[in-house]
Amino acid sequence: MWSGIVTAIPVTIGVRMPEAPASLDAAGSRSALVDTHGRVHRDLRISLTDRCSLRCTYCMPEQGNEWLARSSILSTDEIVRIAQVAAEAGITTFRLTGGEPLLRTDVVDVVRQVARLRTPAGAAVHVAMTTNGIRLPEFLPALIDAGLSRLNISLDTLRRERFSDLTRRDRLDDVLAGVAAAQASGLRPLKINAVAMRDVNEDEIVELVEFARAHDAQLRFIEQMPLDAGHTWERARMVTRDEILARLAARWALAPIAGRGGAPAERWTIDGGPHTVGVIASVTAPFCGDCDRMRLTADGQLRNCLFSTTEYDLLPVLRQVSEPGLIDAGIEGMLRACVRGKLPGHAINDPSFLQPARGMNAIGG
Ligand code: SAM
């Protein structure tokens, strides 16, 4: 039996199975994905592509991005197969992301097939999506019909010129049309994510919350993380959780909402509610102790943390093993190895921290 922390899955000749298949509990069900720190994993973020219709400065370079090889991109069937094994091992929420997930032509089919999966107890899984919203007017009715249950839209500024500078594309109107489509759809809770940036959009913090409220959405500010493809992140330029809260508290009475669980955002009610605002303070107030998330990149690499420098390669298991039962056992073994290798925290604040080689668009945000 293979044990210990995995640094790489060596695949040279044939495929190495990471461990004996399926850990079964006394009742004969598969046991949950629990790491060595006792964290139970319930959430799998699936990146559908590293391609994007925007080029946000904090995420992707303007030009010269090295795209993932098309031949390595997971097919619909491969994604669904991994999701099925993950659901059997206790994953209850699948979040589709990217890159921009709506650039995948099979996105509705992926949603439909993943939404059909059931937990071992027979419950429906949740299928969520993080998107820049640009193609929502076109896709949203079909996505909802296919079983999409939650939506996060990313929007950092409401000012046209600023939007063009920040995303290097003049697409603000398209994003706003996407938000309008989401509001009209009735899919709730609707969340809008904004990365707060010094000298870029910090003066819009209150305005963005007002915009979200007017669209029946929850604004969640994200501290900028060292995940840009250009490796230009500077701590001093980051707008912190405390600075965000100070701006909000100058405008509204904020009351903390208890019961965060494994959610990345801390939340507050605004002026007694019902509207709320959240902050995802990955840098200044990390929430790794409650992390229940794993990630699957578009090219079939499992990751146990956004900031991990280790990946667990599912492609050989999917493409070099011929017997279906062995493929599923290999996927499950890899999921368990990935979870077992998870460190207690992301260590952004440690002097030895190394930024992962992939940018956020290739990891899946
Ligand atoms: N294209 C989709 C979108 O725009 O939401 C999904 C992918 S995008 C990488 C997912 C989220 O990651 C977005 O909300 C984006 O703002 C966030 N993000 C990207 N790079 C980031 C960084 N360096 N720090 C914090 N958040 C980041």
Side-chain angles (χ1 to χ4, degrees):
M1 169 106 133
W2 179 42
S3 64
I5 291 185
V6 183
T7 51
I9 301 294
V11 180
T12 41
I13 305 167
V15 180
R16 176 173 173 179
M17 286 294 171
E19 70 166 18
S23 321
L24 301 181
D25 64 18
S29 316
R30 288 198 173 137
S31 56
L33 294 166
V34 188
D35 72 10
T36 57
H37 307 278
R39 294 169 294 195
V40 181
H41 289 70
R42 303 265 183 231
D43 183 312
L44 178 63
R45 315 226 154 174
I46 303 177
S47 174
L48 296 185
T49 175
D50 59 330
R51 310 250 162 184
C52 191
S53 35
L54 301 178
R55 291 286 180 279
C56 299
T57 51
Y58 53 78
C59 187
M60 295 177 73
E62 183 165 18
Q63 284 173 341
N65 196 61
E66 280 186 31
W67 303 110
L68 299 175
R70 281 190 189 273
S71 59
S72 70
I73 301 292
L74 296 177
S75 66
T76 318
D77 287 350
E78 288 171 333
I79 291 168
V80 174
R81 178 161 217 150
I82 295 165
Q84 171 150 17
V85 176
E88 284 164 8
I91 295 291
T92 55
T93 299
F94 296 90
R95 174 169 297 282
L96 307 180
T97 179
E100 173 48 42
L102 296 181
L103 292 185
R104 274 278 291 236
T105 49
D106 60 350
V107 62
V108 174
D109 205 22
V110 172
V111 170
R112 191 177 306 285
Q113 293 198 52
V114 174
R116 280 193 194 126
L117 300 176
R118 292 291 174 268
T119 68
V125 300
H126 302 286
V127 184
M129 182 178 288
T130 302
T131 170
N132 62 29
I134 289 176
R135 299 188 78 183
L136 275 180
E138 181 187 340
F139 277 110
L140 196 50
L143 290 169
I144 293 173
D145 177 67
L148 186 75
S149 45
R150 289 182 222 152
L151 199 55
N152 289 6
I153 302 177
S154 304
L155 175 62
D156 301 321
T157 177
L158 297 165
R159 307 203 184 151
R160 175 179 302 280
E161 214 172 303
R162 194 175 273 186
F163 185 95
S164 297
D165 289 346
L166 187 57
T167 67
R168 302 174 176 125
R169 299 287 185 273
D170 183 15
R171 306 292 301 265
L172 178 61
D173 287 344
D174 297 317
V175 175
L176 296 180
V179 174
Q183 182 188 4
S185 76
L187 205 60
R188 297 293 184 275
L190 173 61
K191 296 179 186 166
I192 298 181
N193 293 345
V195 179
M197 286 162 282
R198 174 124 19 246
D199 301 330
V200 177
N201 66 349
E202 58 183 329
D203 56 338
E204 280 186 86
I205 283 175
V206 163
E207 219 174 304
L208 282 164
V209 173
E210 277 169 346
F211 172 85
R213 283 214 297 186
H215 290 80
D216 199 18
Q218 301 172 10
L219 204 293
R220 304 185 321 159
F221 291 102
I222 309 176
E223 282 183 346
Q224 189 176 350
M225 297 179 277
L227 285 168
D228 55 312
H231 292 222
T232 58
W233 179 85
E234 287 173 54
R235 181 175 299 270
R237 292 197 59 75
M238 198 192 75
V239 179
T240 64
R241 161 194 185 276
D242 290 353
E243 289 174 272
I244 295 165
L245 286 179
R247 282 182 183 265
L248 295 171
R251 172 74 174 78
W252 293 292
L254 303 179
I257 301 175
R260 174 183 182 181
E266 282 175 88
R267 291 167 61 227
W268 291 263
T269 55
I270 298 171
D271 281 346
H275 292 286
T276 64
V277 63
V279 179
I280 301 178
S282 312
V283 181
T284 66
F287 36 89
C288 306
D290 291 317
C291 180
D292 66 350
R293 289 173 287 285
M294 310 176 68
R295 290 166 195 276
L296 174 65
T297 68
D299 59 344
Q301 310 297 306
L302 279 172
R303 301 174 59 90
N304 53 33
C305 176
L306 262 181
F307 300 98
S308 174
T309 50
T310 303
E311 298 185 336
Y312 298 77
D313 190 358
L314 282 173
L315 284 187
V317 174
L318 290 163
R319 297 184 181 178
Q320 293 175 28
V321 177
S322 48
E323 201 184 310
L326 282 181
I327 299 177
D328 290 350
I331 295 169
E332 187 188 348
M334 207 65 94
L335 285 166
R336 293 190 187 281
C338 181
V339 163
R340 239 193 348 259
K342 186 157 172 160
L343 299 175
H346 60 40
I348 297 181
N349 298 306
D350 190 294
S352 63
F353 173 74
L354 280 181
Q355 184 172 337
R358 286 178 191 255
M360 183 72 132
N361 69 301
I363 294 174

